[in-house]
Amino acid sequence: MNAYVINILLIMFWAMALLLFNPNKLKKKAFIAIATIQWIFVSGLRNITSGADPDTIEYLRHFNSVKNMPWSKIPVLFYNTYVKGVGKDPGYTVLVKLVQVFTKNYQCYLVIVAIILFSSLAVWVYKNSKMPCFSYILFSTLFYSFFAVTGTRQTIATALVVFIGTELIKKRKFFPFLLICLIASTIHKSSMCLLPFYFLSQKKITRKYILFVLALFPIIAVFRNQFLDLLNFISGYEYEELSTSGAKSFTFFYFVIVIVSLILLRYVRENSKNYKMYYNALFLGMLFIPLVFVHPSLMRVVQYFSVYLMLLVPELIMCVQKKYRNLVYIAIVIVLMIITNIYTSNYSFFWQ
């Protein structure tokens, strides 16, 4: 049994102990705090060989190279990136440099990144999820390998534009959200793809709108290569077409959620004040999926929208009649745990 499955089992144990009987806000806070600590432990204390991303070693090399970099070079990095077009993501170097004021140990740095991610995730789940345990299980199954183990720069960017930015979107605070997107874009350029979501998040979910989105999907799928240049700009990288691209399992799961969400739209609309945001995120993620079949790394863009599944799926489960709800919940959790056990990448702690 791998570390991720053990982590899920522990999360379920704490949920049963705290949330199964007489749940209240204090118990919810306690559960989320424990789940947060667990994930900080798993993410921050990982060995750099964990996961399947070769960039993990590059992050260590970059961290070590910044140790001897003078502060006077930071403005040069921004100038070279945004004026000369040489280099990328200078904000990430600034973050590393700030952390190194306190510690030059890379393992401590990973713990700090994990704290940034999972503390902001905790607040996000607490404020928005009707089923926090399920939200964490969904995260553990679909997103842990990217956000918690490999994609360090986008991990930080997601914490800013999604987990913190969601509240700014809900409260319609455009300029603070724009500022946070600009800051995040210096850490990972792909985060700017969330900026249009500010305007689209409150789009009414009408029948005509749904038909338009569904009709747009096959057009994008057919002409996905023609969208490659646009996606390169959004993601901040230059990708060429790969014959071995795609995320078939994720795509299948995603479209199951889309179908179920459309079937249950009327019920979700009646019970969720944030349903428009969740559905619009679902639709945007769906429209970007065909481009993953141009190059799998374009999943970076899909991830910003797909994390909203952590809030939408609990809303869908809450639509099920109470007498069947627990059965549906247990069945989905079992499937997710099987998926986790099958598809998880290698993991080890730093001392192993």
Side-chain angles (χ1 to χ4, degrees), residues 38 69 105 128-129 137-138 151 162 168 193 199 208 220 342:
Q38 281 186 200
M69 178 186 296
N105 182 282
N128 298 286
S129 178
I137 291 173
L138 205 57
V162 177
L168 299 176
C193 72
F199 304 100
K208 289 183 178 179
I220 295 177
I342 293 175

Side-chain angles (χ1 to χ4, degrees), residues 6 8 14 21 39 42 91 103 130 151 192 196 213 219 238 297:
I6 294 173
I8 292 176
W14 292 117
F21 301 104
W39 262 118
V42 173
T103 177
K130 291 182 178 178
M192 285 302 291
V213 172
I219 295 174
E238 294 297 328
S297 292

Side-chain angles (χ1 to χ4, degrees), residues 185-285:
S185 70
T186 68
I187 297 172
H188 202 286
K189 189 177 179 180
S190 64
S191 57
M192 285 302 291
C193 72
L194 255 290
L195 188 57
F197 184 58
Y198 178 90
F199 304 100
L200 295 172
S201 63
Q202 300 305 311
K203 178 76 175 67
K204 290 184 178 180
I205 312 299
T206 63
R207 182 175 298 180
K208 289 183 178 179
Y209 177 49
I210 293 171
L211 292 175
F212 171 75
V213 172
L214 294 178
L216 190 59
F217 176 80
I219 295 174
I220 295 177
V222 171
F223 296 100
R224 60 186 181 273
N225 290 324
Q226 283 75 8
F227 287 93
L228 181 60
D229 289 339
L230 175 62
L231 255 288
N232 284 337
F233 175 77
I234 293 174
S235 62
Y237 298 92
E238 294 297 328
Y239 295 122
E240 296 179 355
E241 183 180 359
L242 290 182
S243 59
T244 58
S245 60
K248 297 180 178 61
S249 298
F250 178 84
T251 301
F252 174 78
F253 177 82
Y254 200 95
F255 274 89
V256 169
I257 298 300
V258 170
I259 293 170
V260 174
S261 298
L262 293 177
I263 293 172
L264 297 177
L265 172 60
R266 180 166 64 91
Y267 303 98
V268 177
R269 182 190 285 126
E270 292 173 354
N271 296 286
S272 174
K273 62 180 180 180
N274 297 315
Y275 81 95
K276 286 186 287 187
M277 174 180 286
Y278 304 158
Y279 272 80
N280 281 304
L282 179 74
F283 293 155
L284 286 170

